Amino acid sequence: MLLEGKKALVTGSSRGIGKEIVKKFLSEGASVWGICTKPSASKEELEKIAADNNCRFYELYANAQSTEEWTAVIKKALEESEGFDILINNAGITKDGLSFRMKMEDWQKVIDINLTSAFTACQIIASDMIRKRSGSIINMSSIVGIHGQGGQTNYAASKAGLIGLTKSLAKECGSRGIRVNAIAPGFIATDMTAVLSEDLKKAMLDTIPLKRAGQPEDIANTALFLASDLSTYISGQVIGVDGGMGC
């Protein structure tokens, strides 16, 4: 098991990519604290996977847009865990619209949940990792944060911000043995992409050299690599998992 005895905090843990990362980490022996907005339909399934692998799963609840609430829950998880080896900042939403029509509350909500919540988690957890002089932080960016996308200025800005956060934090914390990396998924088959029109899905698939959508497990496998001792000399990187879409 690649993560046996490790402890991980995963935000946005209840579905899609976050859930798949939790499943992968539990199957590799890590105990996981997952944060989501409300009790999830996945809780019992994840608890069973944990029990089958001699580790634990804990589900916590917080509104990522509320810095006060988010901070309190993360500090509670840190205290209960007695320190994390891995932090996955995966919480995120979309509120798409053309920039000249975008409501300020839609801009702010995406920035708060996608970027500010990650900074808050990094600030709290990295401080403890510095004390222990070890840890792996993984921020979930997007191909959109690298290349942009019309109608997603708020989302693109938040995901580009995560890349800047990743690279800066890697420089700050590297001498203390902490690795900080980002994953930039491309077109991944999740609830978030399921709502897209068939025409838009086809148009996106036409831009992917591998000619298929990615699966949440593709992202989870990359997160496992970056969280494990297989990547001890990798930091400050943005790993594209996009089927060649970003070539």
Side-chain angles (χ1 to χ4, degrees), residues 161-233:
L162 282 173
I163 291 173
L165 172 65
T166 296
K167 291 182 174 291
S168 298
L169 197 60
K171 293 187 180 209
E172 284 187 7
C173 299
S175 64
R176 276 38 177 256
I178 301 165
R179 296 177 292 113
V180 189
N181 292 287
I183 299 173
F187 181 36
I188 308 299
T190 65
D191 292 347
M192 192 177 288
T193 57
V195 300
L196 300 175
S197 70
E198 291 304 315
D199 287 345
L200 183 53
K201 288 179 187 177
K202 183 180 183 303
M204 293 183 74
L205 288 172
D206 286 343
T207 69
I208 301 172
L210 290 183
K211 298 302 176 187
R212 66 174 179 85
Q215 298 298 317
E217 188 175 8
D218 294 317
I219 310 302
N221 286 335
T222 308
L224 173 62
F225 170 69
L226 292 173
S228 75
D229 289 343
L230 294 174
S231 59
T232 54
Y233 201 55

Side-chain angles (χ1 to χ4, degrees), residues 6-26:
K6 300 288 189 182
K7 291 177 281 189
L9 177 65
V10 179
T11 71
S13 61
S14 63
R15 60 193 180 99
I17 289 170
K19 177 185 174 182
E20 202 62 38
I21 289 172
V22 174
K23 287 170 64 177
K24 183 68 66 174
F25 281 18
L26 293 172

Side-chain angles (χ1 to χ4, degrees), residues 21 138-143 181-185 219-220 222-224 226 237-241:
I21 289 172
I138 302 165
N139 296 318
M140 201 60 61
S141 183
S142 168
I143 192 172
N181 292 287
I183 299 173
I219 310 302
T222 308
L224 173 62
L226 292 173
Q237 302 305 304
V238 182
I239 311 296
V241 186

